Amino acid sequence: MDLVPPIASIIMGFIMGYLGQRARMCFVGGMRDYYLVKDTYLIKGLIAFIVCALAGFFLFQFASAAVKTFPWFLDGGAVFAKKWKATGVTATPSPLLPVPGDPITWSPKAWAHILLAVLGGFGLGFFCCIAGGCPFRQHIMAAEGSKSAIVYLVGFALGAVIFHKFIAPLVKAILA
Amino acid sequence: MRMTAAIAGGIFGLLGAAGQAFFHIIPPPAYGICIACHMRDLVNWIAAHIYPIYGLKASGALIIPGGPVSYNFPLLTIVGILIGAVIAAHVNGEFKWKTMRVWWQKPLAEFFLGILVMISALIFGGCPIRTALKAGYLDITAIIGLVAIGVGVFVGCQALRKLT
């Protein structure tokens, strides 16, 4: 059993939790503050995250074999094509497909993924904005003693079970 | 040194990329940091080990719904974040039991908001952090999703203005 991912992720989580608490980091809060009061403190964090992730992936592709599919649109879903062939689906890989591997990303149809991205993204932005912060911020607030955020985390965990029990089969049946 | 959001965001971005490149957090790609996905992996792993019927497929194999990296042992990012944030809050004297004052952020309402956020996040395939990480990985659906999050936040802000 490869125990590197759990150990690495708990250490990464510790660093993120500590720095996130000090910096009041929130990914949805940046956009919200910019719309509401034109405050750019948090949105700088979001932009810095994307830029550093891009730079990190670009640099690490020379150092590690795990990032070999980095410019994802150049690959264009060739990883998918192998999987489809095994299940008898004939489809052309498209650069509009998301990165593979998620249980929800099963379909060879690009429009289905774009529809899911628009629907899910809209719901994510709307509900996070009402709830007062992105899931990461809610974890930090729970650790700071907010009872609302602790109850939010219970609902968050329950949502995963509801999704995999009821919503995912439904979505697959509708978009299949 | 004072920790600002810009510095923290930059460090998180590098950590997310390094997690995939050097710490085997793959497959799926661009999975280094995600709150919703890692929580889902942890919850499903525990649920499938308490109630094996939950993860059982028709063929009889135990398939845990979640990222393939978590089949044997789940990622523990959530635990790490909670420990780190509790320590940070206590060291700096910011820990205090409190409840939000507005009615849509009272505990009962937040419970349902939590369910709705998790379902939206998993429909899209990641929380806002992983959306940003996937956008950094140049995934076009993630860039569309980031724009959709922006639209959702904009509508949410209008709703907040109505509510207050």
Side-chain angles (χ1 to χ4, degrees):
Chain A
M1 195 194 302
D2 188 9
L3 279 179
V4 173
I7 294 167
S9 66
I10 199 169
I11 295 168
M12 272 165 51
F14 182 86
I15 298 169
M16 286 175 63
Y18 197 94
L19 296 185
Q21 202 276 334
R22 295 318 301 148
R24 294 185 290 114
M25 187 70 197
C26 180
F27 288 77
V28 165
M31 298 183 194
R32 182 198 58 202
D33 286 357
Y34 187 72
Y35 287 139
L36 284 179
V37 289
K38 293 274 178 287
D39 178 40
T40 57
Y41 172 78
L42 284 173
I43 206 164
K44 276 183 202 152
L46 176 65
I47 294 166
F49 182 92
I50 297 175
V51 170
C52 282
L54 185 61
F57 281 127
F58 181 76
L59 289 176
F60 295 157
Q61 69 174 329
F62 302 112
S64 164
V67 209
K68 62 178 180 294
T69 54
F70 164 57
W72 176 249
F73 52 87
L74 293 186
D75 188 317
V79 185
F80 270 134
K82 211 192 265 172
K83 208 163 101 189
W84 293 334
K85 216 169 192 177
T87 53
V89 178
T90 47
T92 331
S94 152
L96 286 173
L97 288 168
V99 293
D102 270 323
I104 193 73
T105 56
W106 76 96
S107 168
K109 294 170 192 155
W111 63 264
H113 293 291
I114 292 171
L115 183 70
L116 288 176
V118 170
L119 277 182
F122 180 82
L124 198 55
F126 184 78
F127 293 125
C128 283
C129 190
I130 301 288
C134 75
F136 178 66
R137 178 74 187 143
Q138 296 284 352
H139 281 76
I140 306 290
M141 292 205 295
E144 285 174 350
S146 164
K147 286 174 192 159
S148 303
I150 292 172
V151 180
Y152 175 97
L153 293 195
V154 177
F156 199 61
L158 191 63
V161 175
I162 293 174
F163 177 80
H164 280 285
K165 240 8 216 180
F166 304 109
I167 313 269
L170 191 73
V171 170
K172 286 190 184 184
I174 291 173
L175 293 182
Chain B
M1 186 181 72
R2 202 175 124 52
M3 183 55 62
T4 64
I7 299 171
I11 293 172
F12 292 179
L14 286 177
L15 274 181
Q20 172 174 347
F22 305 118
F23 301 118
H24 308 182
I25 309 180
I26 185 175
Y31 204 59
I33 298 174
C34 179
I35 309 298
C37 311
H38 293 186
M39 176 72 118
R40 184 254 332 259
D41 287 358
L42 189 63
V43 167
N44 282 340
W45 192 85
I46 293 170
H49 279 77
I50 296 174
Y51 301 107
I53 194 86
Y54 179 69
L56 221 52
K57 285 284 171 293
S59 57
L62 182 73
I63 307 250
I64 294 160
V69 69
S70 300
Y71 282 168
N72 291 323
F73 200 81
L75 296 170
L76 297 171
T77 316
I78 304 298
V79 182
I81 286 174
L82 288 176
I83 296 171
V86 165
I87 290 176
H90 272 97
V91 164
N92 298 286
E94 289 175 3
F95 187 90
K96 192 165 138 269
W97 289 109
K98 55 185 172 287
T99 313
M100 297 296 158
R101 275 168 302 173
V102 289
W103 64 264
W104 65 91
Q105 290 181 1
K106 290 258 192 267
L108 185 66
E110 287 270 317
F111 177 73
F112 292 104
L113 282 173
I115 293 177
L116 288 169
V117 169
M118 180 54 122
I119 289 173
S120 317
L122 289 181
I123 282 179
F124 171 57
C127 67
I129 299 191
R130 189 166 180 233
T131 312
L133 192 63
K134 269 161 81 172
Y137 204 62
L138 300 176
D139 177 343
I140 291 167
T141 51
I143 294 167
I144 295 170
L146 209 56
V147 175
I149 289 176
V151 175
V153 171
F154 183 72
V155 177
C157 287
Q158 305 300 323
L160 281 183
R161 280 202 183 118
K162 283 264 163 58
L163 284 168
T164 43

